[in-house]
Each structure stands twice: as C-alpha cells, then as structure tokens.
Amino acid sequence: MIDDDRVWMVRDIINNYVKSPSLQHLRDPHSILSVAQAIVKQLDRESGIWKKWVGERDALLKASLACWIPIEELQSYLNRLPGPQLTATDVSQRQRAYWEEPYTSYPNDDLKVGCLALFAEEKALGTELTAIIGRIAEHIEAEEERIRLERDARFKAMRESEKLVAEQRLLSGADCKWTQLKKAPESYCRTNGRTYRLTPTKDKRWNLYRVDNPSLEEKGTHIGTYGGRGDATKVVAKIAYEPEYR
C-alpha cells in the first residue's frame, strides 16, 4: 500500500506529462529535464524549505502571480494570515521560485499599467486584496482575449493584402508563384514569362497545364498529372526554360 504523499505527488506530475500526444515531446531531453525540475522543486517544497509559507499564504501568492500586485501590498496582507512574519524578500523570492517553474510565465508587461490602475481603484474603495486579485485576473483574461482577437484580425488583413498583391502581380503579366484568383480551386503561376495552371482532380491529384492567360475559358496544353503541388512546381522550374513547341 502506498502511504507516502510524495509518491502520489510524483505520480501526478508524471501522469500529467505522459498525457502529451507527442512521442517526440515525451522523449525530448529538455521536456524530461523540465519534469525532473518540477519533481525536485515540489519535493523541496514538501520537505519544508519554504518554512514561512503555511496555510493559505501559498494559494494567495499563486493566484496573484500574473496580477502585478505591488510587493509591499502582498507582504502586508500575507502577514495578516497565520504564520511567521514575511519580509519583502520572502515574498519576491517566493514569486520568483514559482515563475521559474515549468509551465509558469512571468506577468505580461503590456498589462502592467492597467493592472496597477485597477489595484489603486479597488484599494481606494476598500476592497479586500483577495477580491482585487480576482478582478484583476478577470481583467487580464479579457485583455488577453482582446489582444488575441486583434492579432488574428491583423494577420487576416495582412494575408488578404498579400493575396490581393499576388493576384495583381499575376494579372499584370509578371512572373509569380502559385496564386489563386477569387478563391477558385485552380492556381496559376508564371515563370520566365510563361503561364501555367494547376487544377485539382477528384482523386486529390493535380493536373498541370500550359496556358496563355489565367482563365478557365482556355483549355490549355496538358503537361502532366502529379501527386502534389511540389512535384508540379519542380516540373515548371525545369520546362519554363526549355524550348517550347506549341
């Protein structure tokens, strides 16, 4: 019968690690080192290295890690909880120990000003620190989602702009890589002034044609059928500079 809590703790860490669907990740030396570090740090914590962090102190500190709460405010509140008196160094180094653990990150610098403004607002109202941490955590979650959506929108706009530039390049007669027009399944490229069309087949292959213009109205000259676009690209790179008989 296993009756040592440390064994259960190590089991839980390993169990979470092996849930990864990637065999490459499981065998990665850096990943294995991270798991070993997590186990050692947890065992150190359980053995009592951090002797002042009793009761609810650790839980409160962990909840505040991303919230940009001023050290002196944390120190003052934590010292009201049961346990030996904490210095500012006790608090800052405990934070650092958590931040350096695997799967834990430092607070977002871009959100620091907003977090501190919320802290000052709630403190002026007399809000308890635990509630302030909760509100700031909600603020961070909302801001990170907003930032993600804005980033995705910028990326989408950039891709659309790149597609438009590529279409204009194709239609202008300049050499270009494979380009779709108006999201059509066919792609066109131009190499050495020669235009080629790539058309997908029902069996997920590609028909390559030599054409005069990027238009489906032109049947074109069939060059071959290929398993992937990469194969067709290699063929184009070769025949585009060979004598052409049409």
Side-chain angles (χ1 to χ4, degrees):
M1 177 65 118
I2 299 175
D3 57 2
D4 191 331
D5 290 340
R6 296 174 302 169
V7 174
W8 290 101
M9 179 275 297
V10 172
R11 184 209 62 173
D12 290 342
I13 293 176
I14 296 175
N15 186 52
N16 288 332
Y17 176 67
V18 299
K19 286 180 180 178
S20 171
S22 170
L23 186 59
Q24 181 179 0
H25 172 261
L26 293 175
R27 292 177 174 174
D28 178 56
H30 179 73
S31 298
I32 295 172
L33 178 60
S34 295
V35 172
Q37 290 173 335
I39 292 173
V40 170
K41 287 183 178 180
Q42 186 65 32
L43 288 174
D44 286 345
R45 185 179 304 124
E46 293 300 323
S47 67
I49 287 179
W50 299 92
K51 297 183 182 299
K52 292 185 177 181
W53 297 88
V54 297
E56 296 298 317
R57 285 179 167 182
D58 242 6
L60 181 71
L61 186 76
K62 289 177 70 174
S64 71
L65 287 175
C67 295
W68 288 108
I69 305 297
I71 289 290
E72 61 275 8
E73 298 290 347
L74 274 173
Q75 178 193 2
S76 175
Y77 190 86
L78 289 168
N79 276 331
R80 299 175 198 167
L81 301 178
Q85 284 293 297
L86 295 164
T87 67
T89 302
D90 285 326
V91 178
S92 63
Q93 290 304 308
R94 192 72 175 113
Q95 284 180 324
R96 181 176 179 180
Y98 273 123
W99 284 329
E100 291 180 349
E101 288 188 358
Y103 315 114
T104 304
S105 58
Y106 283 83
N108 189 333
D109 287 334
D110 295 335
L111 303 180
K112 181 176 181 178
V113 173
C115 289
L116 291 178
L118 278 178
F119 176 83
E121 174 189 332
E122 292 294 345
K123 182 182 178 182
L125 293 173
T127 307
E128 189 177 25
L129 184 62
T130 49
I132 295 177
I133 290 173
R135 185 186 174 192
I136 292 178
E138 292 175 351
H139 167 75
I140 290 172
E141 183 179 358
E143 284 298 287
E144 289 181 339
E145 177 65 9
R146 176 186 62 80
I147 291 171
R148 184 188 68 79
L149 292 175
E150 290 178 353
R151 182 177 62 246
D152 290 348
R154 287 195 300 271
F155 179 75
K156 183 178 180 181
M158 181 183 69
R159 290 295 303 272
E160 291 299 324
S161 177
E162 290 175 348
K163 288 180 182 179
L164 180 60
V165 170
E167 289 181 10
Q168 292 173 342
R169 185 174 180 82
L170 172 66
L171 296 174
S172 71
D175 280 9
C176 60
K177 297 180 180 180
W178 293 113
T179 303
Q180 291 176 282
L181 293 176
K182 307 300 181 183
K183 299 182 180 180
E186 295 79 17
S187 297
Y188 298 88
C189 81
R190 190 175 290 106
T191 303
N192 194 30
R194 301 176 185 178
T195 306
Y196 300 89
R197 183 176 69 231
L198 203 55
T199 303
T201 66
K202 293 181 179 180
D203 57 354
K204 298 183 180 180
R205 294 169 66 81
W206 298 89
N207 282 324
L208 178 64
Y209 298 87
R210 168 73 167 93
V211 296
D212 292 324
N213 299 292
S215 170
L216 288 177
E217 297 177 359
E218 180 186 353
K219 182 177 180 181
T221 302
H222 186 255
I223 296 173
T225 302
Y226 306 94
R229 287 177 51 148
D231 296 330
T233 300
K234 292 177 183 178
V235 172
V236 168
K238 180 180 179 182
I239 65 175
Y241 296 94
E242 293 179 348
E244 187 175 41
Y245 303 98
R246 299 183 63 188

